[in-house]
Amino acid sequence: MGVEPSVSGPLSIISGAQTGVGRGAMDAALDAGIPCGGWVPPGREAEDGRIPDRYPVQEMTTGRYRQRTKANVLDCDGTVLIYFGSLHGGTELTLQFCLRNKKGIRNGV
């Protein structure tokens, strides 16, 4: 993977800075002064183009979305999944990585 993201503190946000909830969480963290960071694919690749420089993320030297997702799950103490209906795509993959790496799952409303 490379150098680990330097995010520490009682609360920090780890995200791949993709569109939607991940980027929204980073926006909120930056606005509130909460430490944030995470892994992103080479070239800061995102669904909507290049991830803006405003986001303090670490580019992976190799890999794509799958590797990025796994690295971010491994660097977290907990993961929040927000979805409607059934799981699919990256959200489902994130859950699989959480389960495989015993990252703890708590069912909620």
Side-chain angles (χ1 to χ4, degrees):
M1 274 185 274
V3 178
E4 298 219 5
S6 58
V7 179
S8 62
L11 171 68
S12 58
I13 302 297
I14 304 291
S15 169
Q18 282 298 317
T19 60
V21 173
R23 201 170 291 172
M26 291 196 90
D27 286 336
L30 289 168
D31 290 348
I34 296 170
C36 62
W39 294 103
V40 298
R44 298 174 71 95
E45 182 181 349
E47 299 161 335
D48 63 342
R50 186 177 187 284
I51 295 168
D53 292 334
R54 130 181 186 91
Y55 300 104
V57 293
Q58 176 72 37
E59 282 185 57
M60 298 182 76
T61 55
T62 61
R64 294 196 32 91
Y65 296 121
R66 181 178 187 85
Q67 293 81 10
R68 177 271 336 257
T69 298
K70 184 176 182 180
N72 285 325
V73 165
L74 292 175
D75 282 348
C76 289
D77 293 325
T79 300
V80 175
L81 299 176
I82 300 172
Y83 66 96
F84 298 96
S86 61
L87 288 169
H88 63 278
T91 306
E92 183 176 22
L93 179 63
T94 301
L95 176 62
Q96 291 172 2
F97 284 137
C98 289
L99 292 170
R100 286 183 200 147
N101 294 284
K102 298 180 172 57
K103 285 297 185 168
I105 301 297
R106 179 175 180 253
N107 293 325
V109 177

